[in-house]
Amino acid sequence: MLASLQTVAEHLLLPPGLGMVLTLVGIAFWRADWRGGRPLLAVGLLALVLPSLNIVAQPLAHSIERDLRDQVLAVGRADAIVVLGGGRLPGRGEDGGRDALNPQTHERVRHAARLHRDTGLPILVSGGSPGALPGRRSEAELMAAALQGDLGVPVRWLENTSRNTCENATHTRQRLQNSDVQRVLVVTQALHMPRALACFERAGMAADPAPAGFRGPTGDPRQITDFLPRWEALETSQFALREWLARLARPLRDRLQGRSDPA
């Protein structure tokens, strides 16, 4: 139930959903000649357009990524690499109906493969399949197949029961409890990294960041395309705002989970 409410909230509060809702309500108010219809319509259109501009999306990303940019990768302290699942694409007819990793998870997998080749550290993949039909592979199994079959990199551990970032952390700790692993390198997008590290800290597992896919400003001069709507910018804004929303919602989520705990 909580997961469903979270999904609905994300669609309503994140772009482009919020802009669409405000625009439709503004149009309805305007057509009904209600006060405030035009201002609400204008706000809705701005909420649709602004997140799709790089001049908005990149600073949003930088507000989360900035503390990671200058960090040195703590390879010497880690005993293993943990790759977090970031979603899947549903199977299509041309793929034989088989699910596939989405672009974010592919980015994580490729980054983990490079780290393994540079360091020799063993890899754990973490990601379940909530609500999956029987016979469908978990995200962890899809990641393992990509690493081993496509990239030629071995996977030592597979954690395929987690449904979210904090379960990634707690279930990873459980999966590694009988190993010699004391500290891990966490692989996920830079935008997702602060929340992921906080989950590993709460789970009581030592972790260092190994971020992939920075989306903040690159330092290059602005181009005209930075002022034009682009799908990539909208995706970045959505990602960054989801992380801020998750931070703000964390105390409420913890309280609701505490109430649902029989203990």
Side-chain angles (χ1 to χ4, degrees):
M1 179 64 177
L2 185 59
S4 299
L5 290 174
Q6 180 180 343
T7 301
V8 171
E10 284 186 4
H11 279 86
L12 291 177
L13 297 175
L14 297 176
L18 179 61
M20 293 175 63
V21 170
L22 292 175
T23 299
L24 291 174
V25 173
I27 291 173
F29 280 12
W30 185 22
R31 289 175 63 88
D33 204 21
W34 288 1
R35 196 177 203 177
R38 289 187 180 184
L40 188 59
L41 176 58
V43 171
L45 291 174
L46 285 174
L48 278 173
V49 174
L50 290 179
S52 67
L53 308 179
N54 266 333
I55 57 170
V56 173
Q58 290 181 344
L60 272 175
H62 184 65
S63 69
I64 296 175
E65 297 175 346
R66 59 191 171 200
D67 293 335
L68 292 169
R69 280 202 175 269
D70 297 328
Q71 287 192 21
V72 178
L73 190 62
V75 172
R77 300 194 298 178
D79 305 306
I81 299 166
V82 174
V83 194
L84 306 185
R88 64 170 70 212
L89 298 174
R92 298 172 295 182
E94 60 267 30
D95 300 325
R98 294 173 296 183
D99 290 353
L101 299 176
N102 69 10
Q104 289 182 5
T105 311
H106 263 301
E107 188 173 45
R108 300 176 190 189
V109 164
R110 291 193 299 270
H111 186 55
R114 289 192 294 269
L115 279 176
H116 170 78
R117 294 189 184 106
D118 290 342
T119 66
L121 292 173
I123 293 177
L124 179 147
V125 289
S126 174
S129 51
L133 296 173
R136 288 177 63 186
R137 293 187 294 176
S138 66
E139 281 187 45
E141 291 169 314
L142 292 172
M143 288 190 289
L147 281 163
Q148 297 176 151
D150 300 337
L151 299 170
V153 170
V155 173
R156 183 173 298 184
W157 304 279
L158 190 146
E159 183 286 298
N160 62 357
T161 58
S162 54
R163 298 166 297 177
N164 54 52
T165 303
C166 282
E167 286 191 3
N168 286 147
T170 56
H171 295 190
T172 291
R173 183 188 178 192
Q174 293 166 5
R175 185 69 180 84
L176 294 175
Q177 63 184 356
N178 294 323
S179 72
D180 294 330
V181 175
Q182 301 298 319
R183 194 175 195 94
V184 298
L185 286 176
V186 176
V187 175
T188 186
Q189 271 77 24
L191 275 173
H192 182 232
M193 187 63 73
R195 183 157 61 96
L197 292 179
C199 286
F200 274 82
E201 182 178 356
R202 281 195 293 268
M205 182 158 204
D208 290 308
F214 283 88
R215 298 193 180 203
T218 61
D220 296 333
R222 285 291 181 191
Q223 302 177 0
I224 187 63
T225 53
D226 291 333
F227 299 86
L228 299 175
R230 301 184 66 181
W231 174 256
E232 295 84 355
L234 179 61
E235 189 179 56
T236 296
S237 293
Q238 186 183 60
F239 199 160
L241 290 170
R242 180 187 292 115
E243 292 304 312
W244 278 114
L245 183 63
R247 289 187 187 188
L248 296 173
R250 186 71 213 180
L252 176 61
R253 184 185 179 95
D254 289 343
R255 184 177 300 178
L256 291 175
Q257 288 180 334
R259 288 180 179 178
S260 63
D261 188 346

